[in-house]
Amino acid sequence: MKRIILILGILLISGSAPASADVASLFGQANACYEKGNCADAIRSYEEIIENGVRDPAVYYNLGNAYYKNNQLGRAVLAYKRALRLSSRDADIKNNLEYVLSFIKEERPKSPIEKLLDRLFNIVSLNALTLFVHYTYILLFIILAVYLFVKRKPLFWINVSLGIMLLLSGAWLYGRIYSREIIKKAVVIVTQGQVRNGPGEDYSVAFTVPEGKELVIIERRNPWYEIGVKEKGIRGWIRREEIEQI
Amino acid sequence: MKIKKIIIPIVVIIIAYVYCVLPANSQQLTIQSSIDKNTLSLDDQLTLRVVVSGSVSNVPKPAIPELKGFTSYSSGRSQNVSIVNGKVSSSVTFTYVLVPQSEGKHIIPAVTVNFKGQTYSTSPIEVEVLASSSKQAPAKTAPSKSYPQTVRQARGNIFVTTGVDKKKVYVNEQIQLTFSFFQSVRLLNQPQYSPADTTGFWTEDLPPQRNYKSRIEGRDYQVVEIKTALFPTSSGKHTIGKANLKCAVEEVSGRRDDFFKGFFSRGKNIALESKPINITVLPLPDEGKPAGFKGAVGQFGISAKVDKTELKTGEAVTLTVDISGSGNVKAISEPVLGNLDNFKRYETVSSFNLSKKDYRVQGSKSYTIVLSPLVSGKLTIPAIRFSYFDPKKKSYRTVKTSPIGLNVKQGERETTSSVVITQEGIKYLTKDILHLKTKRELKDHGNLVYKNNAFVGFHVIPPVVFLGLLLYRRRVEKLSRDVGYARRTRASGMVRKRLKKARELLDTDKTKEFYSALSEGLTKFIGDKLNVPAVGMTMAQIEEILKKEKVEESIIEDVRNVMSRSDFARFAPAELDKGQLKSDYGLSEKIIMKLQKII
């Protein structure tokens, strides 16, 4: 049993496999294009790397930079947010995202407390948190099993604390997964997204959203998506092409 | 004698050195002013001499301050240039004639001259003006009496006119005012000229004074022309006032040939005046007014240069911006410089250079801006714009320089950084995104552990295992605590073992042993199941127990049959055949199965 856990753990930690040499050279080319100021080519190469299934935060980060330099704010925000999903603690990504978001007037900058909470929430990577919960879970059952046969007081307290730990970390993990998987977020990628009162051109435009704004997808009814603006508590329908899911 | 011989040349050399070499090296100017007398009467006049000397070929003209109580006019200049050992030194004497206007003590203020950014000045001089002597009294009163007469008469042999080159101008556009003094008679004194009142205009003298001869209506006139440039400061109707000239002329009379009379007579004082001129000043149009327009009118060009294009951070580069052209150069304001955030900018110094060629005020104004780059790299001084209004084309024009590129290398970091930090803290120049991440190895970070089904599925195992262990633990506990339970749970297993043994005996023809095993199995099974001691249990006891447990009569009958046959077999084993044995074994199994269900 212990051996199984060990093997599983090793397997999971080494889950990020190195990419092929092709992708590495493509990355080098893209960076060179960017530095020469040829952002369009750089964007194409970065996108190609991503299409090859390599999801590296550095690629998304550089892609965001290229989009920003190419004056595509919305796509830049999208790329940075995707990079943050892969590496939630990267200060460079946060810095650039914040800088690009400063161009969106409606985007209220986060307060220091919000930033701190955000930082604490994302202080460990999702995989590390998952493994922590995983090992706590296994350890809890092992100690419980031992306790069945060796009724010692310390073991009981170890079990109680392990249980509390598992409960808290499990809730945290659930929150992380929920905010990532259950809430579908999207970014406006056109200069001004038009949000209508219903799914169709016949409905009047209720409000517009600036490029780069983050929205929550509530419902999909192709080609219309019902979206909500969290902090304003407003919702409406937008054409699918005007946004892109993170 | 000998000492003198040596001393004299030394003194001469020292003097020569002091007077020639020293000033030549430092290019210094000296300015002195003097007057010909300290006391004078009201109808007298005073000559002020200003001597500007220095080791330069182009001696600037001194600025004559406002002289209270005097009317002044320039009566020319005389220049003396000498070149010694290739060094130019010149002295220019400017002569001004001052005519007192009121009696009392007057002070001729310091006369100043600007040269290469330095101001030289003389010391003020005190002058006492006395009332006219009784002898001169008639002469003084004369002008007021003969005023109207003389003006009329002036049409004849002496008169003044003023004229302008245009009467409709834009604000700040040059007007050339010409004052002409026509004379065909001999003047007995220096005329007193009081220029026209030019309130509302910025004035600029236009030297030189022109002297020429002109023939009008058959009469030869000596003409003196004084030109002034006027720049209206505001729009609307403006008036150039009368210009006055007072002078004493020879009496033109029949006794002209009287030499002595003519020679000694003070002649006739006359006052001449010109007509006022109305000027219409148009405002500058609002239409098309450039953003950087600051009121310059005329025709201008702009150029900019730097003293070096290769430098290090912390070093200074001098940017010189020249605006040249015709118009009111003095009034030009600083051109608009673009974004110079990457530079530390020092004070701007301006200087101008006026020329009045062809009686047009023109020249250049240059601004010297010292810049020190704060960052290294290729920096650009953006194009500098200058907007003006061209009155000829009646439109605004904007001229600009081309941007200047500078190649700035990193200077000594220590000094610059310490300056930046101690003096201003960290100075943010431009904010931009952070640069690319260029690590070599890319990895796929998209694999999330919780998305792995095997991983999620694995978590079922620990609770299941735990549950199994829990049940096992419970069972072990119960078996150790409850004998009846332990016997009961073990009964089936034991009886199966015994039956198996009996089965083996069945094949080996050992009838006695077979029945013995069978009866033992049955008895012990029932004993275990019902937790009663099985050893020595008789059939009657078994019957009693089974009846108590409400076992069917048929099963009890079967048990009884098997038991009686086992007893019989112990004593006469040969009587029983193989068929009977097999049926009894089957019967026993049936009994056990049935009993397991019931008890």
Side-chain angles (χ1 to χ4, degrees), chain B residues 498-508 514 582 585 589:
Chain B
R498 287 185 184 116
L499 280 180
K500 203 178 165 193
K501 194 179 162 195
R503 171 97 209 162
E504 278 162 16
L505 291 167
L506 184 66
D507 297 331
T508 52
F514 168 74
K582 265 189 182 158
Y585 178 76
E589 278 191 323

Side-chain angles (χ1 to χ4, degrees), chain A residues 8 12 15-19 23 27 31 34-35 53 55-56 61-62 65 68-69 90 92 95-96 99 126-127 130 134 137-138 141 144-145 148 177 180-181, chain B residues 431-452 454-455 458-463 465-466 469-473 477:
Chain A
L8 251 168
L12 291 168
S16 44
V23 169
F27 186 60
N31 289 348
Y34 175 89
E35 282 178 9
R55 287 157 293 179
D56 189 299
Y61 170 83
N62 288 4
N65 277 11
Y68 167 71
K69 292 278 182 195
D90 192 312
D92 290 4
N95 174 79
N96 282 10
Y99 177 67
L126 193 47
N127 274 357
T130 313
H134 169 75
Y137 179 83
I138 290 169
F141 277 107
L144 270 178
L148 275 183
I177 295 174
R180 186 190 171 92
E181 305 286 344
Chain B
K431 190 166 160 49
D432 198 2
I433 53 171
L434 297 169
H435 196 60
L436 295 185
K437 286 181 188 288
T438 51
K439 59 169 188 177
R440 298 269 166 225
E441 203 178 318
L442 294 184
K443 281 180 182 170
D444 188 358
H445 289 244
N447 282 335
L448 288 169
V449 179
Y450 68 83
K451 283 191 175 170
N452 188 325
F455 174 78
F458 170 82
H459 289 85
V460 182
I461 299 169
V465 170
F466 177 74
L469 285 171
L470 187 73
L471 290 175
Y472 172 72
R473 169 78 194 140
E477 240 172 34

Side-chain angles (χ1 to χ4, degrees), chain B residues 165-411:
Chain B
D165 58 344
K166 48 199 157 196
K167 290 193 169 180
K168 213 172 193 181
V169 290
Y170 284 102
V171 171
N172 222 357
E173 184 184 352
Q174 181 182 336
I175 306 167
Q176 188 180 305
L177 174 71
T178 311
F179 171 81
S180 310
F181 172 41
F182 293 79
Q183 60 175 100
S184 62
V185 287
R186 199 155 70 91
L187 295 180
L188 295 178
N189 66 352
Q190 281 282 4
Q192 293 175 31
Y193 165 54
S194 47
D197 172 34
T198 51
T199 312
F201 296 90
W202 169 304
T203 61
E204 196 71 57
D205 289 338
L206 289 177
Q209 187 174 311
R210 260 179 88 204
N211 294 306
Y212 60 94
K213 284 201 166 102
S214 174
R215 195 177 175 84
I216 301 166
E217 292 168 1
R219 196 184 282 201
D220 282 328
Y221 288 95
Q222 181 70 35
V223 188
V224 179
E225 236 179 51
I226 299 168
K227 288 178 187 277
T228 313
L230 302 178
F231 296 94
T233 52
S234 59
S235 62
K237 299 236 182 241
H238 290 279
T239 306
I240 301 170
K242 299 168 185 172
N244 294 315
L245 191 95
K246 278 187 202 173
C247 61
V249 293
E250 216 177 341
E251 201 102 44
V252 190
S253 65
R255 289 152 73 184
R256 202 181 171 178
D257 54 341
D258 187 337
F259 175 79
F260 291 102
K261 182 104 183 179
F263 192 79
F264 291 110
S265 157
R266 298 206 132 259
K268 191 165 97 181
N269 274 323
I270 54 168
L272 304 169
E273 62 179 21
S274 65
K275 286 180 184 157
I277 301 167
N278 287 321
I279 303 285
T280 308
V281 182
L282 304 168
L284 296 176
D286 283 327
E287 193 190 332
K289 191 178 274 188
F293 180 74
K294 287 179 181 170
V297 174
Q299 285 90 36
F300 297 97
I302 188 168
S303 70
K305 60 176 193 293
V306 287
D307 59 343
K308 54 190 162 203
T309 54
E310 301 271 335
L311 72 160
K312 288 178 180 168
T313 54
E315 289 181 355
V317 58
T318 308
L319 170 69
T320 311
V321 184
D322 269 311
I323 298 168
S324 58
S326 59
N328 195 354
V329 177
K330 275 186 195 170
I332 289 174
S333 49
E334 203 178 333
V336 184
L337 269 74
N339 178 17
L340 289 171
D341 281 350
N342 287 330
F343 296 92
K344 187 179 167 93
R345 192 175 154 182
Y346 296 91
E347 221 173 303
T348 304
V349 178
S350 73
S351 65
F352 64 86
N353 178 17
L354 268 190
S355 117
K356 289 159 182 177
K357 210 178 154 195
D358 300 330
Y359 299 111
R360 287 206 68 81
V361 176
Q362 51 200 296
S364 65
K365 192 159 188 178
S366 67
Y367 292 89
T368 308
I369 301 141
V370 178
L371 299 171
S372 173
L374 293 170
V375 292
S376 59
K378 291 201 185 301
L379 301 183
T380 310
I381 298 172
I384 301 159
R385 292 162 183 284
F386 179 74
S387 299
Y388 64 90
F389 180 75
D390 188 340
K392 281 185 186 157
K393 291 181 177 139
K394 295 185 168 43
S395 65
Y396 291 98
R397 316 288 310 253
T398 298
V399 285
K400 61 176 181 184
T401 65
S402 41
I404 300 168
L406 295 179
N407 207 349
V408 181
K409 290 200 179 74
Q410 182 64 53

Side-chain angles (χ1 to χ4, degrees), chain B residues 20-51:
Chain B
C20 306
V21 183
L22 272 185
N25 280 349
S26 51
Q27 283 208 340
Q28 275 189 334
L29 277 189
T30 54
I31 181 166
Q32 290 175 321
S33 63
S34 60
I35 48 173
D36 58 348
K37 50 197 160 205
N38 286 327
T39 343
L40 73 162
S41 62
L42 247 187
D43 46 8
D44 201 346
Q45 61 189 34
L46 188 70
T47 309
L48 171 70
R49 279 172 211 282
V50 179
V51 182

